[in-house]
Amino acid sequence: MKEPSYRVLDIIRGTTVDGPGFRTSIYLAGCTHRCPGCHNPQSWDPSGGTERTLSELLGIIREEEFNVTLSGGDPLMHPESTAQLIRAIREAGYTVWLYTGYTWEEIQASPELYGAVAEAEAVVEGPYVEALRDPSLRFRGSSNQRIIFIR
């Protein structure tokens, strides 16, 4: 069986802006939401970044020893492989926050999307809405976005 791989735009080690505490943030390629004012429009291309295996990503996570944030792009553009990644990160002893442009209601209505996030600690959900931009919010860009704690 072939090891899962991921299109990774960037890995930020020791960041404090993508969830509580120091984190390893992994930015995955691909997003169809295309929110006006997106701070990361280069992430929309699903073929962007570089191919990284699950083993490579876990090696970086273990090396840093921080909890993990998955962002992008939108990790839920590839729900099955994202679910595998979250499971492996949790089995390695770390928590996962996931950023997505899907709303919590859309996630709950889709067994595939819900299955992808079921083992995450939290989901920061909803599209970025430029008119609702609020720099005072922690871990969110616009006031419509919510932090949903799953675990």
Side-chain angles (χ1 to χ4, degrees), residues 26-105:
I26 301 171
Y27 292 84
L28 301 173
C31 185
T32 57
H33 301 294
R34 300 182 182 270
C35 303
C38 173
H39 80 283
N40 201 6
Q42 65 275 19
S43 70
W44 298 350
D45 180 1
S47 63
T50 57
E51 193 94 4
R52 301 300 273 283
T53 65
L54 178 59
S55 297
E56 287 176 300
L57 294 176
L58 288 174
I60 292 166
I61 291 164
R62 286 185 179 111
E63 184 180 295
E64 292 304 313
E65 297 184 341
F66 299 131
N67 288 317
V68 177
T69 296
L70 300 178
S71 191
D74 190 330
L76 293 185
M77 293 290 121
H78 309 282
E80 187 177 308
S81 61
T82 295
Q84 288 179 302
L85 180 57
I86 292 172
R87 250 189 321 279
I89 292 168
R90 289 213 4 101
E91 287 171 5
Y94 303 95
T95 64
V96 179
W97 276 40
L98 180 138
Y99 280 75
T100 181
Y102 290 103
T103 65
W104 183 241
E105 291 74 19

